[in-house]
Amino acid sequence: VGPEGPRAVVFDLDDTLIDWWTAIARAASEVAEPEAVDRLLRVVRSDAWEIRDDGAVHRRHWEVREHPGRFWRAVGEPETAAGTGAVVAAFGRALRPRLFRDVLSALDTVAGRARIAVLTNSPHAAADLDVLGVSHRVDHVLSLDGALRKPALEGFAASCERLDCRPAEVMYVGDSPRVDVEPALEAGMRAAWIDRFDDPWTPPPGAVRLSSLEDLAWFLP
Ligand SMILES: [Mg+2]
């Protein structure tokens, strides 16, 4: 991070702004016994987390919303399996993800000091931000699909163009080393890694680690 702060901050959505893990655990506990909840969370960890040798973890918690039946079937509990259709449907209704508790104060901190955007692979981003009451807080939302999906660099460049900024003037903030931090740096942006799960990964030079999004205050003009 240079002496001058970034002119814009671009956020990843899932597991950066939206707290999927808590939402999954809460929804599961509304529809299943504690032992089945524990087993579901273990399935999510083994099926939706990619753990690299250097300690980097990429999490695809959003898949639980897209394919809840796949995860519940893997729980393998006889009574759950017997009622899979009903359990999955009830789980889907109960799954109402919220923002992490540091998001609103972080958006307050950034607003007025830098512009704010969202860049995500989620096709539901605009609707999710609307439901969460923060769509008016962001300059633009880019939902990438096909070959443009992160970690492809084109999406990062497109977001900078929409902000009318050079990549070096933009800080990308995300939870995933592989699809957020590393490609943002490669695209010439500044990068901040939000360490939501206390992972044993050290970000490369040029990237900073945040334990809370409120820490962004240190890096703004
Ligand atoms: Mg993410």
Side-chain angles (χ1 to χ4, degrees):
V1 177
E4 289 179 22
R7 292 177 54 210
V9 177
V10 178
F11 292 95
D12 165 54
L13 183 66
D14 293 322
D15 297 309
T16 293
L17 301 181
I18 294 183
D19 180 0
W20 281 104
W21 183 256
T22 305
I24 291 165
R26 184 182 294 140
S29 65
E30 284 180 31
V31 303
E33 295 303 314
E35 312 81 68
V37 175
D38 287 345
R39 279 207 289 278
L40 177 75
L41 294 176
R42 278 203 294 277
V43 169
V44 172
R45 250 186 239 114
S46 70
D47 287 12
W49 291 18
E50 297 165 22
I51 303 174
R52 247 176 18 190
D53 289 346
D54 66 353
V57 185
H58 177 64
R59 295 175 172 86
R60 303 182 312 271
H61 291 148
W62 53 270
E63 287 190 355
V64 180
R65 170 166 66 177
E66 299 292 310
H67 311 289
R70 194 182 92 207
F71 289 89
W72 278 105
R73 276 193 296 280
V75 168
E77 186 186 67
E79 51 271 40
T80 305
T84 290
V87 169
V88 170
F91 173 79
R93 286 192 298 275
L95 187 60
R96 292 180 301 272
R98 298 182 189 171
L99 299 171
F100 283 99
R101 63 183 70 219
D102 57 3
V103 172
L104 293 179
S105 54
L107 293 178
D108 285 342
T109 298
V110 178
R113 299 167 76 178
R115 288 162 69 199
I116 299 172
V118 170
L119 177 70
T120 170
N121 288 344
S122 168
H124 310 292
D128 285 347
L129 291 170
D130 221 22
V131 167
L132 294 164
V134 289
S135 20
H136 65 288
R137 309 286 306 263
V138 304
D139 186 290
H140 68 259
V141 179
L142 269 185
S143 281
L144 304 167
D145 62 8
L148 296 180
R149 290 169 63 84
K150 298 183 296 177
L153 302 188
E154 289 87 344
F156 294 90
S159 186
C160 295
E161 277 169 32
R162 290 272 288 269
L163 289 160
D164 202 20
C165 288
R166 290 180 294 111
E169 297 173 322
V170 181
M171 175 173 271
Y172 192 72
V173 182
D175 66 289
S176 171
R178 181 172 73 76
V179 313
D180 297 323
V181 177
E182 291 169 347
L185 289 176
E186 203 181 327
M189 300 165 81
R190 309 173 193 208
W193 174 51
I194 176 71
D195 183 14
R196 293 293 191 197
F197 290 80
D198 205 13
D199 288 329
W201 183 65
T202 305
V208 295
R209 176 189 171 277
L210 310 175
S211 57
S212 160
L213 291 183
E214 290 167 355
D215 295 346
L216 280 171
W218 293 99
F219 304 103
L220 295 171

